[in-house]
Amino acid sequence: MSDAEGGATGYTGTILDITERKQAEATLAASEERFRLAFERAPMGVAMVDADFRYVRVNDAYCEMLGYSLHELRTMRIDDLAVPEVRPFLDDIWNDFLQRGGTIGRFAILKADGTTSDIEFNATANVVPGLHLSIFINPKVTGEAQGLDEDEGG
């Protein structure tokens, strides 16, 4: 606001309370941080892939299990790790997985050193639309746990 000579006589403004929005943003950020830490620190391999079979996110346990670096896996697709005899059937396996919404089983996978390993997995389709989450059990870890149980049993 101004007077006839152009001098300021007041002002007009709007005040908007954004407290609730800021609280919601902080809650969301904390939730995302908890998910990130759980994903990264999980003792079993965890991988998230997109609809094109590309790795979007993997944790250190998955990298260690397969012998690939995080950078290497981010340039790969899940079919790059499939054993040759399974590759012709991957589209059918994938479509069945999507239709069911998930699957549990055992899968032979190619490791970085060229060897194969049978790993157990539990996969869920579309945990977020277009992203699929798999949890892989490292045979080395389960073998050690089974050995520990046997030693405790006598």
Side-chain angles (χ1 to χ4, degrees):
M1 295 184 192
S2 58
D3 59 20
E5 288 137 20
T9 59
Y11 67 92
T12 303
T14 303
I15 296 175
L16 179 62
D17 184 357
I18 60 170
T19 304
E20 286 183 27
R21 186 179 84 199
K22 289 296 186 181
Q23 289 173 338
E25 289 172 356
T27 300
L28 178 60
S31 176
E32 288 173 344
E33 178 68 4
R34 283 191 303 273
F35 171 79
R36 184 187 65 79
L37 290 173
F39 189 99
E40 290 175 359
R41 294 179 180 173
M44 69 282 295
V46 182
M48 192 172 279
V49 298
D50 65 17
D52 295 322
F53 296 3
R54 298 211 173 275
Y55 287 101
V56 174
R57 186 174 195 163
V58 298
N59 70 353
D60 289 341
Y62 190 67
C63 293
E64 183 180 322
M65 187 186 315
L66 300 178
Y68 290 100
S69 71
L70 175 64
H71 174 73
E72 288 172 312
L73 283 170
R74 285 201 174 151
T75 66
M76 299 174 80
R77 296 165 35 105
I78 57 173
D79 49 347
D80 293 328
L81 303 179
V83 293
E85 54 271 18
V86 171
R87 287 182 186 154
F89 307 104
L90 276 178
D91 285 337
D92 291 336
I93 293 168
W94 186 257
N95 290 331
D96 185 56
F97 161 70
L98 292 176
Q99 184 177 23
R100 291 173 182 244
T103 190
I104 297 171
R106 183 177 286 271
F107 198 77
I109 199 160
L110 292 173
K111 296 170 63 174
D113 64 6
T115 62
T116 61
S117 181
D118 280 344
I119 57 173
E120 294 177 36
F121 69 93
N122 185 334
T124 303
N126 294 303
V127 290
V128 176
L131 293 177
H132 317 289
L133 182 71
S134 295
I135 298 174
F136 298 89
I137 307 301
N138 187 339
K140 178 181 173 189
V141 172
T142 57
E144 289 171 358
Q146 288 170 355
L148 180 63
D149 291 343
E150 290 170 10
D151 289 342
E152 289 178 355

